[in-house]
Amino acid sequence: MADPTGFLKYDREEPKKKSKEERLATWGEVYADVDPAERNGKVRKQASRCMDCGIPFCHSGGSGCPLGNLIPEWNDLVRRGDWAAASDRLHATNNFPEFTGKLCPAPCEAGCVLSVSPLSGGPVSIKRVEQTIADQSWEAGFVQAQVSEVSSGRRVAVVGSGPAGLAAAQQLTRAGHEVTVFERDDRLGGLLRYGIPEFKMEKKVLDRRLAQLRREGTRFVTGCEVGVDLSVEDLRAHYDAVVLAVGALRGRDDTTTPGRELAGVHLAMEHLVPANKFVEGDGPPSVDAKGKHVVIIGGGDTGADSYGTATRQGALSVTQLDQYPTPPSTRDDERSPWPTWPYILRTYPAHEEAGERKFAVAVKRFVGDENGRVKALELQQVKVQKDPATGRREVIPVNDEVETLPADLVLLAIGFEGVEEMPLLDGLGLSLTRRGTLSCGADWQTETPGVFVCGDAHRGASLVVWAIAEGRSVANAVDAFLTGASDLPAPVHPTALPLAVV
């Protein structure tokens, strides 16, 4: 290893954020602008904390990065200041490191050997190093179009322009195939465009990468729902292979709590999508938190995105509810031992800005006014347990006390149930699994020959890093299907799962 005492010399350091006032006054990213030379110097010290472990769990597919990012290698290149080589090493395994550097929750850091004990000072700040390599790559002009010198004469349709579809498209274009990406929305990017708020990733970051794909030869068609605007018959007639990267956007709803039908109660995506379109310049959002008491039900990423969006829209108050008790601040080795993903309290930047979180509570009912609009919630303290007879999760009130919470806008951020029903699937003769996903064989091919699937459509709602990994892997399978063999990387198998305690 380059510096076996690096983690003793330097403390883990997070990037500096803008002030809360500045963050709430703009839709821009929460992190402060720093001079590149100062930024790079700080990150070189952070990279020197890496011990180049003999068994690097950080890029193990089960406990770390499913892309197989060779993290110790580019950490050492950054330590030495060789940014060009670090960029090459990072891009060798990750098509879009600026996406993962901003959006991935970093299972690599959970798998870092320095996560074994808090006495180490915390894991290497891998995500920060990755993001800085990506930033420096664009600033220094290291990112260039990679145009294939040969053409296979084969045509591939990719349905969906999220991270999985874009990764598959870029890999297949570089392999010499003629690739067209179809997107039903008016702009490209899928959830990267309309699900992720601007304060987490500014859309100029996405547009910059899309421009690279176009220069390489990938074609894009927006405003086209395949199966409706383009028939399945025409799709199959004009393309030698089809990749379904349609996501898992069917939001989970609450159909049992009294008052769900009241106006002002929405799925979280009904709030996030128009808010992102507003930032794109499309006019006022249809669901706006301005001047309202906002309650968000659900404690995950989507809930935090809605939280930060509501505060920036000018909500009077924001409260986020979670059925589970407050997680511990440090890893519980019995519940989530290293190197599994730790069950701990995660505080997003949005939580630092305003509002509050309530744990171990559930909504008894939504209370409406005389016009049929929500005005309050009735909450109860609850515990979550498994029914010993059925094994199903039960939410049980712990007492009869009821708290009334004002609420003019309620956002349900309680997860996703899988792929949306769409004519495309019927036309291809495909049905959903019990999990709401599309199944495939070991070659990523569905039961319909020549039709492949990847990303959330196959895995269910997951992380951006898994989407890119599956996109790269399906590209290998499609390339082999079209040509008989492939040299494209395939970092994950369709049955791959992250390491977990069962």
Side-chain angles (χ1 to χ4, degrees):
M1 66 189 72
D3 188 350
T5 62
F7 75 99
L8 297 174
K9 294 178 183 176
Y10 305 110
D11 295 329
R12 177 183 166 95
E13 184 179 302
E14 299 292 347
K16 184 180 179 181
K17 300 185 186 76
K18 299 173 184 174
S19 69
K20 296 176 184 178
E21 294 74 20
E22 186 178 1
R23 282 146 60 178
L24 292 176
T26 177
W27 287 96
E29 290 186 11
V30 301
Y31 292 101
D33 295 325
V34 179
D35 177 75
E38 178 186 351
R39 174 201 67 199
N40 293 356
K42 289 180 177 293
V43 170
R44 288 180 65 182
K45 290 180 179 179
Q46 292 300 302
S48 71
R49 297 183 70 242
C50 177
M51 297 186 296
D52 193 13
C53 304
I55 301 178
F57 288 85
C58 58
H59 65 76
S60 162
S63 61
C65 179
L67 277 168
N69 282 338
L70 299 174
I71 295 164
E73 295 187 21
W74 41 259
N75 272 339
D76 188 54
L77 291 167
V78 167
R79 180 193 65 83
R80 291 190 272 146
D82 192 343
W83 295 96
S87 176
D88 287 343
R89 208 73 196 100
L90 177 55
H91 280 92
T93 56
N94 188 351
N95 297 70
F96 314 123
E98 64 273 40
F99 300 170
T100 51
K102 293 178 183 292
L103 305 176
C104 182
C108 54
E109 294 188 12
C112 176
V113 171
L114 291 180
S115 289
V116 172
S117 169
L119 297 177
S120 70
V124 175
S125 52
I126 298 169
K127 182 175 175 177
R128 184 181 181 187
V129 177
E130 178 182 37
Q131 180 59 54
T132 304
I133 297 172
D135 289 341
Q136 181 66 16
S137 296
W138 285 101
E139 293 162 6
F142 300 148
V143 180
Q144 299 294 325
Q146 298 180 32
V147 181
S148 176
E149 297 181 356
V150 298
S151 174
S152 70
R154 302 300 183 93
R155 306 181 72 192
V156 181
V158 176
V159 185
S161 66
L166 294 178
Q170 184 166 62
Q171 293 294 97
L172 288 166
T173 298
R174 290 175 174 179
H177 305 299
E178 184 180 327
V179 180
T180 301
V181 178
F182 293 93
E183 171 56 58
R184 68 182 180 181
D185 285 334
D186 58 340
R187 296 182 179 92
L188 298 167
L191 280 182
L192 293 174
R193 174 74 64 182
Y194 287 141
I196 301 297
E198 188 84 352
F199 56 82
K200 284 180 68 175
M201 189 182 80
E202 295 177 358
K203 300 308 175 282
K204 65 183 181 182
V205 173
L206 172 60
D207 293 334
R208 180 178 62 186
R209 189 61 81 169
L210 289 169
Q212 181 201 26
L213 268 72
R214 286 191 174 96
R215 290 194 299 269
E216 292 175 345
T218 301
R219 294 181 63 247
F220 295 96
V221 179
T222 57
C224 179
E225 182 172 356
V226 181
V228 178
D229 304 301
L230 173 66
S231 70
V232 172
E233 292 74 19
D234 285 345
L235 178 76
R236 300 308 304 275
H238 288 88
Y239 294 93
D240 301 296
V242 177
V243 176
L244 301 179
V246 295
L249 299 175
R250 181 155 45 94
R252 181 173 289 115
D253 205 343
D254 175 4
T255 59
T256 60
T257 303
R260 167 61 182 91
E261 75 284 353
L262 292 169
V265 182
H266 298 272
L267 297 180
M269 294 305 296
E270 296 171 0
H271 173 236
L272 287 173
V273 171
N276 277 304
K277 288 190 173 186
F278 166 75
V279 177
E280 292 272 9
D282 289 353
S286 54
V287 179
D288 197 342
K290 184 176 181 180
K292 296 176 181 176
H293 296 289
V294 179
V295 177
I296 300 163
I297 302 174
D301 285 3
T302 303
D305 293 344
S306 294
Y307 194 115
T309 299
T311 56
R312 282 159 178 78
Q313 288 178 329
L316 288 178
S317 67
V318 181
T319 307
Q320 187 173 14
L321 310 180
D322 195 322
Q323 293 178 337
Y324 294 94
T326 307
S329 58
T330 58
R331 183 195 293 268
D332 180 348
D333 287 331
E334 291 188 5
R335 181 167 188 167
S336 53
W338 177 86
T340 63
W341 183 247
Y343 175 69
I344 58 173
L345 178 65
R346 302 184 189 280
T347 299
Y348 297 83
H351 295 136
E352 304 167 350
E353 297 164 354
E356 64 172 325
R357 288 187 280 180
K358 291 179 177 289
F359 293 91
V361 295
V363 179
K364 181 180 180 180
R365 72 182 183 105
F366 302 102
V367 181
D369 62 16
E370 64 276 6
N371 297 314
R373 184 169 190 88
V374 68
K375 67 175 183 179
L377 304 178
E378 290 184 355
L379 298 181
Q380 285 185 295
Q381 295 289 322
V382 298
K383 63 179 179 180
V384 181
Q385 63 185 29
K386 281 188 177 181
D387 184 316
T390 65
R392 293 182 178 178
R393 185 178 63 92
E394 293 183 321
V395 181
I396 308 296
V398 298
N399 54 48
D400 294 329
E401 295 181 10
V402 175
E403 175 187 0
T404 300
L405 190 68
D408 307 304
L409 175 62
V410 178
L411 302 172
L412 303 177
I414 52 179
F416 296 88
E417 293 188 332
V419 179
E420 296 173 301
E421 299 288 348
M422 56 185 71
L424 172 61
L425 303 185
D426 296 332
L428 291 172
L430 297 176
S431 57
L432 300 179
T433 68
R434 293 177 60 185
R435 295 177 53 248
T437 59
L438 292 168
S439 61
C440 66
D443 62 354
W444 298 92
Q445 198 166 182
T446 67
E447 57 195 26
T448 300
V451 178
F452 299 76
V453 65
C454 66
D456 287 0
H458 161 254
R459 177 168 293 274
S462 186
L463 308 181
V464 63
V465 68
W466 276 100
I468 298 172
E470 291 211 356
R472 287 171 66 86
S473 299
V474 85
N476 169 281
V478 173
D479 188 33
F481 172 78
L482 296 175
T483 66
S486 180
D487 292 328
L488 294 176
V492 293
H493 187 272
T495 60
L497 294 172
L499 186 67
V501 177
V502 295

